[in-house]
Amino acid sequence: MRADATRFALEAVRSAPTLLEAMHRGPRLDQAAVADAASGPSGETSAVTLLRGAIDDPADQLTAAIATLALGSVATETSARTLARLLDDGAAHLQDHLVWALGRGPLVDSALPRLTGFIAGGGFVGMLAQRTLQHWSGRQPDAVRSALEAALSRCPDPAGRATLVETLGLVSGAATNRGLRRVAADEDEAPAARAAAVVALGDRGRLPGRPAATPDEAPRPTLQPANPADDAAATRQVLTSLAAGTGPLASVATIALDDLFDLAVVDRSHRSHRSHPGELGHPSGRSRWTARGPGARGDGGLTVAQLFLHADVDGDLLHAGQGDTGGIATLLVQLGDALLEAQPAVRRVLTISRSRPTQGLGDLTSVDEPGHHYLSIPLWGPNVPAAQAWPLRIATGRGLRRLLRAAGDVDVLHLRMGDVATMVSAEVAAETGLPIVFTLAPDPNALVASRDAAGILTRANFGATDTVEHLLFRERLLRELQTRSAHLVLFPRPTLDHDMSALMDLDIDAEADRVSVVAEGVSMAAIDAAGVTDGSGRSPAARALAELDDLLAQLPLERRGLPLAISVGRLTGVKGMVTLVDAWANERNLRARCNLLVVGGDVQAPTNDEQQQLAAIDALLPLDTAASHGLLLPGHRPNATVATWLRAVREGRPGGAASGGVYVSASLKEEFGIAILEAMATGLVVVAPASGGPATYVTEGVTGILADTGSRDRLGEAISAALELALAPGADERAAAAQSMVRDRFGIETMATALAEVYHQVATHRAARRESTEAAS
C-alpha cells in the first residue's frame, strides 16, 4: 500500500497557490491520512512516513504544521509515539502543533512530563497541553493524575501550581477529589492554587439539597473520608468552611457551593458575597437559595444569550474604550435593549462578560423575568487581553455552564470573534444541544491573505508568526464554528460572495438557508440624547461638554481656534492609534490645520498592551508636553460622553475648537465599524479603512475619505482631504445625508429585527427537530 490518498492530499497542500488555500486543504489531508492508516499496517506505515517527511522540511513550515495535525488525526500508537519523539527533537515552530496533535490520539507516557511542564508554564501551549491531558484522562485517569501530582511536587511557581491544580480538576476519581481538598484547605498553598482547587471541587458533582448548618456550627474540613460514600460530604465541608471566611477565596468557595448543589443564589447581596451571619453567602446563615432549570421561561418570546468575555460590559457603558471593552461592548448593550422591542418577540437577553470573584455572577434576583440581564463569569487574577486569554479555557467553560443553569431555558447562543470564549461556548452548547448563531468575520484569514500577497508571510517563515498569532489554530477554529453553527451572520462587504469563498471557503449560495447578511447598527436615541442640554449645566450632555472644554483649555492659546480630528477606540495595535499620531505629528501642514483628540484606553493604569501603545506615542511626541503641541489623550470615556464630544467636534466649542472637525478611524481592519457609524450619525466627515465593511456605507468624497490606513503618508493625506471636505460648500447637506443614511439603514432597531428573525428561525428548527426525535422514539 503506497498511501496514495495521503500522497495526493499532501501534494495538494504543497502546491496550493496561496497560504490560505493550503490551510483550507488541510482537513482533506487529515481525512486522507486516516483512510490510508485504516487500510492496513502498510498503509499506516506509508502515511506516517510521508507525513514525517513533510514535517521535517524546514523550507515549507506551513505544510509541516498541517502535516503534524494530519499525523495526529491518524491516532494510532505508531503515530502518537512519532509525535512524542518529535516533541523532544522537533523544531520550535512546531511545538504548539505537536502538543495539539497529540490530543487526537492515545496517551504516550513519555510525553507526560513535557506536557505537564507546558501546563505549568501557561500560555497558549499550556492550554493545548491541558486539552491533550483532558482527552487522555477520559481513558487513563490514573496515569494523568500521577503525572500532574508529580509535576506539582516539583513546581514552585504559584501561577504554575494553579494551572496544574486546575488541570487536575479535570481528572475523574475519588483520588482526585482528595488531592483537591488537600490543596484547597492548605493555608500554606498559593491563593491562586487554592482557588483553582475550590472551583474544581464545586464543578465535580451535583448534590441535591442545601447543607444544613446552624450559627454555632462551623464544619471542620474532612480531607480523607473513611469510605467513598463520604466523599461528597467531605467536599461539602471543605467548601462550607472556606465560604465562612472572608476575602476572595471565600467568594470563590461561595460560588463553588452554588455549583456543587446545582443551585443559583437569588439575592442582590450575592453580587458582593458579603459574609455576615444570617446573610446570603454565609453557610451558617438562613438559606435563601432556589433552584433554576429548564422551564424557567414563560410564554411570550425567546431567551437569547450573547457573550463577550474580554470586556467589562455594563448597561451604562462606563468602561467603553478601556482595555478590550471596545465597540463590541457598545453593540451588545444597545442590541440587547433593542431586541426586547423587536418582532418576532425576544423575552430575555442575557449579556455575559467577565468579573472578579468578589463581584459574583451578576444580579440573579430577576434573571427569569423579561428584560436585559447582565451576567458575569468570575475569573481569578488580573484581566488579560483577548489575545492572551487562551489559558482561561477551563474557567470560562465552568462559568458559562453555571450561568446557563442559573438562567434556565436559553433558546439561542450568539457568538462572535474567534477567541477562547467562543471556542469554549461552542463546546458547552454542543453538550446541551443549544443552537449557535455565529457572526463569521474573516479574521485571521484576511490577515494571512494580505500578508501573503505582500510577500511578508511565506511558507518559509510561517512558523515564527504562527507561534505568536496561532493562525492555523484560529483558522481551524473558525472552520469548525462555521460547520457547527445553526446559522451564520455575515457583515456586508463590497464583494461579499467572492471574499467569503476566497477567505473562508464558504459558498454563500450553497448555504443560503443558514446564512444571513446583517449590518451592525447604532443607537440613534443615544446619538440624539448627546445634543440635549437643559440650560442648567447639570444634564449629562452639559457635563460632557464642560469636561471637553476643560480638556481644550490645556491647549495653548494659539491652537484653540483650530478644528479637532477625533478618533475613538481601544489603545491596541489593530486600532492604529500610533500610526494616526505619527501621520498627524510628522506632517507639519496637517498639524497646523487641526488638533488631535484620541479617546480611549486607560491612561492612568494602562494594561501591557495600552502601555506599549502609549510608549510608542511618547516616542513620537512626549506625552508630558503633548497638549502644548495639540495632542490630547484623555483616556476612555463613557459612550454617552463620547457621543456628545463627537457632535461638538463638528459644531465646535466657543473659545476651544473651531467647527468643521473630522472623525478618523486608523484601524488596520474594520469588519464593520460601529464608531465610524456613530461619527457619521452626528454629521462628521470620516476617514475610514478602504477595505472591509466601511466601504459599503462611506461614499468617497461625499461623506468621507477611504484610505490605506496602514500607511502613515496615505492616512495623513486622507485626514487633510477630510478637513477640506468638512468645510467645502454643501457641507451641511452632506452631513444631513450621512445622518439620514445611518438612521435609515443602520439603526440598532433594524439590526435587532433582522437578528430576531434569525433567532426565531433557529429556535423553531430546534423545536421541530426535538418533536421529530420524540415522535420517532
Side-chain angles (χ1 to χ4, degrees):
M1 173 63 69
R2 297 180 301 165
D4 286 341
T6 302
R7 189 184 312 277
F8 293 146
L10 188 56
E11 181 55 33
V13 172
R14 285 179 169 138
S15 62
T18 66
L19 300 182
L20 195 54
E21 179 59 29
M23 295 165 75
H24 289 164
R25 295 178 182 181
R28 290 194 283 276
L29 178 58
D30 293 354
Q31 296 164 7
V34 170
D36 282 338
S39 67
S42 61
E44 177 189 351
T45 300
S46 297
V48 170
T49 301
L50 285 168
L51 295 172
R52 176 64 193 267
I55 292 169
D56 289 339
D57 182 1
D60 190 347
Q61 296 177 358
L62 174 58
T63 298
I66 293 171
T68 300
L69 299 183
L71 185 57
S73 295
V74 172
T76 63
E77 295 288 346
T78 300
S79 64
R81 286 195 298 270
T82 302
L83 289 168
R85 288 193 294 270
L86 285 167
L87 188 60
D88 290 330
D89 306 326
H93 67 265
L94 291 176
Q95 175 180 275
D96 291 356
H97 304 97
L98 290 164
V99 173
W100 177 11
L102 275 166
R104 298 180 168 195
L107 183 146
V108 182
D109 286 326
S110 62
L112 286 170
R114 290 294 306 277
L115 294 176
T116 55
F118 289 138
I119 291 171
F124 181 75
V125 70
M127 180 275 292
L128 294 175
Q130 264 192 335
R131 282 173 29 129
T132 293
L133 289 197
Q134 184 176 10
H135 171 77
W136 286 355
S137 70
R139 291 192 175 182
Q140 294 181 263
D142 293 342
V144 173
R145 183 188 308 109
S146 296
L148 289 167
E149 289 174 343
L152 270 169
S153 69
R154 57 179 182 266
C155 178
D157 176 58
R161 294 186 64 81
T163 312
L164 288 167
V165 171
E166 178 183 66
T167 312
L168 181 63
L170 305 175
V171 183
S172 62
T176 299
N177 294 341
R178 291 193 293 272
L180 292 172
R181 287 194 292 270
R182 279 195 298 271
V183 173
D186 186 354
E187 295 183 356
D188 294 326
E189 181 61 83
R194 295 183 72 190
V198 167
V199 172
L201 285 169
D203 196 49
R204 291 177 64 81
R206 304 281 173 255
L207 303 177
R210 172 82 165 131
T214 65
D216 298 326
E217 179 186 354
R220 303 178 66 85
T222 302
L223 302 181
Q224 303 290 345
N227 58 70
D230 295 330
D231 190 62
T235 294
R236 182 187 67 193
Q237 288 183 338
V238 168
L239 296 180
T240 303
S241 176
L242 292 172
T246 58
L249 193 60
S251 300
V252 174
T254 301
I255 295 173
L257 280 171
D258 287 8
D259 292 341
L260 188 67
F261 292 91
D262 202 11
L263 298 166
V265 181
V266 287
D267 189 288
R268 293 184 187 275
S269 62
H270 183 64
R271 294 170 66 92
S272 60
H273 291 281
R274 296 184 180 91
S275 296
H276 302 297
E279 288 193 8
L280 184 66
H282 194 289
S284 62
R286 182 178 176 181
S287 171
R288 290 185 298 212
W289 299 34
T290 185
R292 304 281 187 206
R297 176 174 60 86
D299 295 332
L302 300 180
T303 293
V304 177
Q306 53 182 6
L307 177 142
F308 184 58
L309 181 70
H310 316 292
D312 300 303
V313 182
D314 63 274
D316 295 323
L317 291 169
L318 298 177
H319 302 282
Q322 181 180 17
D324 281 331
T325 310
I328 183 65
T330 301
L331 177 71
L332 295 186
V333 170
Q334 296 179 348
L335 175 62
D337 292 344
L339 281 169
L340 298 173
E341 305 297 326
Q343 291 295 328
V346 174
R347 182 176 181 270
R348 292 189 301 165
V349 177
L350 314 176
T351 296
I352 301 171
S353 62
R354 69 187 176 197
S355 70
R356 308 262 57 79
T358 52
Q359 295 170 311
L361 312 178
D363 182 10
L364 297 177
T365 306
S366 58
V367 72
D368 56 347
E369 298 176 1
H372 190 174
H373 303 274
Y374 295 92
L375 305 179
S376 303
I377 296 177
L379 299 173
W380 183 276
N383 291 337
V384 295
Q388 301 170 23
W390 296 101
L392 298 176
R393 182 180 75 96
I394 301 303
T396 301
R398 285 171 172 159
L400 182 59
R401 291 182 186 93
R402 174 191 306 129
L403 290 178
L404 292 177
R405 289 196 305 270
D409 270 358
V410 175
D411 297 287
V412 179
L413 176 62
H414 193 151
L415 301 176
R416 301 165 172 89
M417 320 273 297
D419 59 6
V420 65
T422 294
M423 177 182 74
V424 172
S425 298
E427 295 170 356
V428 172
E431 296 168 3
T432 60
L434 177 61
I436 293 171
V437 172
F438 181 55
T439 295
L440 178 63
D443 180 29
N445 297 19
L447 191 59
V448 172
S450 63
R451 289 174 175 174
D452 185 11
I456 298 171
L457 188 65
T458 68
R459 289 175 179 269
N461 69 12
F462 182 85
T465 302
D466 184 67
T467 298
V468 175
E469 300 183 28
H470 323 304
L471 299 172
L472 185 55
F473 183 89
R474 289 161 64 198
E475 189 272 337
R476 291 287 179 101
L477 173 60
L478 286 182
R479 177 179 291 273
E480 184 175 353
L481 289 164
Q482 183 176 317
T483 300
R484 292 172 54 181
S485 296
H487 204 93
L488 300 174
V489 173
L490 309 180
F491 295 126
R493 297 171 69 94
T495 54
L496 181 64
D497 287 17
H498 171 272
D499 289 352
M500 287 298 107
S501 176
L503 297 176
M504 304 306 302
D505 200 22
L506 174 67
D507 185 336
I508 293 179
D509 290 337
E511 300 272 15
D513 61 334
R514 69 179 196 103
V515 173
S516 298
V517 180
V518 179
E520 291 189 337
V522 299
S523 171
M524 291 306 301
I527 298 297
D528 293 341
V532 177
T533 57
D534 59 8
S536 69
R538 293 192 295 272
S539 69
R543 291 197 300 270
L545 290 174
E547 187 178 8
L548 178 60
D549 290 340
D550 290 342
L551 191 64
L552 294 173
Q554 299 176 22
L555 296 168
L557 287 174
E558 66 271 16
R559 297 195 64 88
R560 293 184 195 173
L562 298 176
L564 285 167
I566 183 173
S567 188
V568 181
R570 295 174 293 120
L571 278 184
T572 186
V574 74
K575 293 301 179 182
M577 297 301 192
V578 175
T579 304
L580 171 59
V581 174
D582 195 9
W584 173 83
N586 287 287
E587 174 51 58
R588 180 172 298 179
N589 291 334
L590 179 57
R591 188 163 52 164
R593 294 182 64 178
C594 68
N595 294 312
L596 180 60
L597 173 58
V598 177
V599 183
D602 189 337
V603 297
Q604 302 301 321
T607 65
N608 290 338
D609 197 13
E610 290 169 338
Q611 182 58 57
Q612 290 173 4
Q613 297 297 301
L614 289 170
I617 292 172
D618 184 68
L620 295 168
L621 198 68
L623 294 177
D624 56 355
T625 61
S628 67
H629 297 285
L631 172 62
L632 300 172
L633 290 151
H636 71 96
R637 288 295 186 276
N639 187 256
T641 297
V642 170
T644 300
W645 286 10
L646 289 173
R647 187 180 294 273
V649 168
R650 176 171 175 257
E651 298 174 351
R653 292 301 299 161
S659 61
V662 299
Y663 181 85
V664 183
S665 169
S667 298
L668 295 178
K669 65 178 186 65
E670 280 291 354
E671 293 304 329
F672 201 70
I674 288 292
I676 301 170
L677 278 174
E678 289 179 331
M680 294 179 72
T682 66
L684 279 170
V685 172
V686 300
V687 175
S691 60
T696 64
Y697 57 80
V698 175
T699 303
E700 175 70 20
V702 179
T703 57
I705 306 296
L706 296 171
D708 175 4
T709 51
S711 165
R712 181 192 75 177
D713 294 341
R714 301 291 84 77
L715 181 60
E717 293 168 0
I719 298 171
S720 294
L723 288 166
E724 293 175 2
L725 184 60
L727 296 176
D732 288 342
E733 290 77 8
R734 290 191 297 274
Q739 291 173 305
S740 295
M741 181 273 297
V742 175
R743 190 178 298 271
D744 294 342
R745 294 175 50 194
F746 299 111
I748 195 69
E749 295 81 9
T750 301
M751 181 186 186
T753 297
L755 287 179
E757 291 175 353
V758 168
Y759 300 151
H760 274 262
Q761 175 185 331
V762 169
T764 300
H765 181 69
R766 179 197 192 195
R769 197 168 58 245
R770 279 179 169 176
E771 291 177 4
S772 177
T773 301
E774 291 172 359
S777 61

